[in-house]
Amino acid sequence: MENLKIAAAYIRVSTHDQEEYSPESQIKLIRDYAKNNGFILPEEFIFRDDGISGRRADIRPEFQRMISKAKETPAPFQVILVWKYSRFARNQEESIVYKSMLRNKCNVDVISITQT
């Protein structure tokens, strides 16, 4: 039991993305993935930004709250689960900066449950 990892989930839905799953669908898929892959996903670590573009991280309040949590010592979770990497960040540079900071400074990985 002690090798279960604590996970966080980040869900983002922008108003103009028609091809994406609803936030509820994303959460359900992430919960299933967590359960099947040995992660515990506490309710307080589900972060959700609705109707917000993924182009800029600084205008996404729940994203910023999640990053702040990850920077705590020790980090309260080891991974951030997302439905697709585009939910984490649309801007490639920002995505690289945040993933690298999370991995190197906080020891937190970002995992897409649908992409490798």
Side-chain angles (χ1 to χ4, degrees):
M1 205 53 175
E2 66 274 353
N3 61 358
L4 285 175
K5 286 184 171 182
I6 307 292
Y10 180 67
I11 288 95
R12 183 181 62 78
V13 181
S14 61
T15 47
H16 55 272
D17 279 346
Q18 297 310 308
E19 80 281 357
E20 72 199 8
Y21 277 118
S22 70
E24 290 70 29
S25 302
Q26 289 182 42
I27 290 169
K28 184 192 177 323
L29 291 168
I30 288 172
R31 277 201 175 107
D32 291 346
Y33 178 92
K35 196 174 122 197
N36 296 330
N37 290 276
F39 294 109
I40 298 169
L41 179 56
E43 212 49 45
E44 77 251 36
F45 296 151
I46 296 176
F47 301 91
R48 176 175 163 177
D49 284 315
D50 284 351
I52 300 176
S53 162
R55 292 204 193 292
R56 289 183 32 223
D58 63 340
I59 60 168
R60 293 187 275 148
E62 283 295 284
F63 184 86
Q64 291 303 325
R65 198 167 73 79
M66 175 182 70
I67 296 298
S68 294
K69 272 270 177 231
K71 287 179 176 175
E72 290 175 6
T73 309
F77 43 82
Q78 289 83 52
V79 297
I80 295 169
L81 301 174
V82 293
W83 174 58
K84 280 186 166 178
Y85 286 120
S86 65
R87 301 302 87 203
F88 184 74
R90 278 265 190 232
N91 174 324
Q92 193 63 36
E93 272 174 50
E94 238 178 22
S95 182
I96 291 166
V97 166
Y98 277 102
K99 284 180 191 168
S100 153
M101 180 272 297
L102 285 164
R103 188 174 305 118
N104 299 328
K105 291 197 170 65
C106 312
N107 210 18
V108 173
D109 284 316
V110 178
I111 298 173
S112 163
I113 65 163
T114 60
Q115 299 163 294
T116 49

